[in-house]
């Protein structure tokens, strides 16, 4: 399980930096956790901060994977740096869960590589063309993460 995608040197502005953006994310997190997303394509990924050890909640879009898994994309809207939650996954992969519509599911994250990543990326870009745009504006390869529910 390797989380090894380096940051790039060019791309869009990193999202979620202003107070207004953070407030909007907080509202979205609470809504997804309680009711789910309107289209059902968003979930809240709950990680443990790499540096702080504090629980962090981030709304992300997900895509269906094989065998009941979910795929998420560490796009950061095409920013040159990977999002913070990507590093939190790498630091504490055994303490990750997803939440939506009142459900809490413990998951194991795995970054996809090679042909498996390419297949998943094509599926994601076909469903959400915005992700293909993000890949064009940054020089890093955008990580695709598979979330597999853990057995209880």
């Amino acid at each position: 399980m390797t989380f090894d995608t380096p940051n790039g040197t060019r791309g869009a502005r990193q999202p979620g930096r202003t107070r207004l953006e953070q407030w909007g994310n907080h509202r979205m997190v609470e809504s997804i956790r309680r009711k789910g997303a309107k289209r059902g394509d968003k979930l809240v990924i709950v990680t443990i901060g790499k540096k702080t050890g504090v629980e962090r909640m981030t709304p992300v879009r997900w895509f269906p994977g094989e065998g009941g898994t979910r795929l998420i994309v560490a796009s950061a809207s095409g920013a040159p740096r990977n999002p913070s939650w990507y590093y939190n996954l790498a630091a504490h992969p055994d303490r990750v869960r997803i939440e939506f519509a009142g459900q809490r599911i413990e998951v194991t994250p795995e970054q996809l590589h090679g042909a498996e990543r390419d297949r998943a990326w094509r599926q994601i870009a076909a469903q959400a063309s915005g992700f293909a745009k993000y890949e064009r504006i940054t020089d890093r390869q955008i990580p695709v993460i598979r979330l597999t529910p853990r057995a209880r």
Side-chain angles (χ1 to χ4, degrees):
M1 182 173 8
T2 350
F3 292 85
D4 56 1
T5 300
N7 288 319
T9 59
R10 66 176 172 77
R13 185 181 69 81
Q14 191 87 16
R17 300 282 189 199
T18 69
R19 282 186 186 254
L20 184 59
E21 288 170 319
Q22 290 172 355
W23 177 77
N25 270 351
H26 177 74
R27 287 193 57 195
M28 185 185 304
V29 162
E30 290 308 312
S31 176
I32 293 169
R33 288 177 72 200
R34 275 194 326 275
K35 301 182 284 191
K38 289 179 184 169
R39 293 189 321 220
D41 62 354
K42 289 189 179 62
L43 56 81
V44 174
I45 186 158
V46 182
T47 60
I48 302 299
K50 177 182 175 181
K51 296 177 185 176
T52 65
V54 173
E55 191 171 86
R56 303 290 184 193
M57 296 180 207
T58 309
V60 295
R61 182 158 180 194
W62 68 275
F63 302 87
E66 297 174 357
T69 64
R70 289 178 172 85
L71 303 173
I72 60 174
V73 181
S75 67
S77 299
R81 295 182 46 83
N82 294 310
S84 298
W85 62 260
Y86 173 83
Y87 298 106
N88 296 345
L89 287 178
H92 303 285
D94 56 330
R95 297 181 64 193
V96 178
R97 75 176 181 270
I98 57 175
E99 297 184 9
F100 56 93
Q103 297 182 58
R104 295 169 65 124
I105 302 169
E106 304 290 325
V107 295
T108 300
E110 175 188 11
Q111 182 171 338
L112 303 182
H113 293 87
E116 191 174 29
R117 187 251 179 220
D118 294 342
R119 245 187 335 275
W121 183 258
R122 283 191 300 275
Q123 171 198 336
I124 290 164
Q127 291 179 35
S129 60
F131 285 100
K133 176 187 168 204
Y134 297 154
E135 190 173 52
R136 286 191 304 271
I137 61 177
T138 187
D139 58 350
R140 70 181 167 94
Q141 183 179 55
I142 296 175
V144 177
I145 313 297
R146 177 174 37 228
L147 302 173
T148 304
R150 282 199 295 265
R152 295 188 182 239

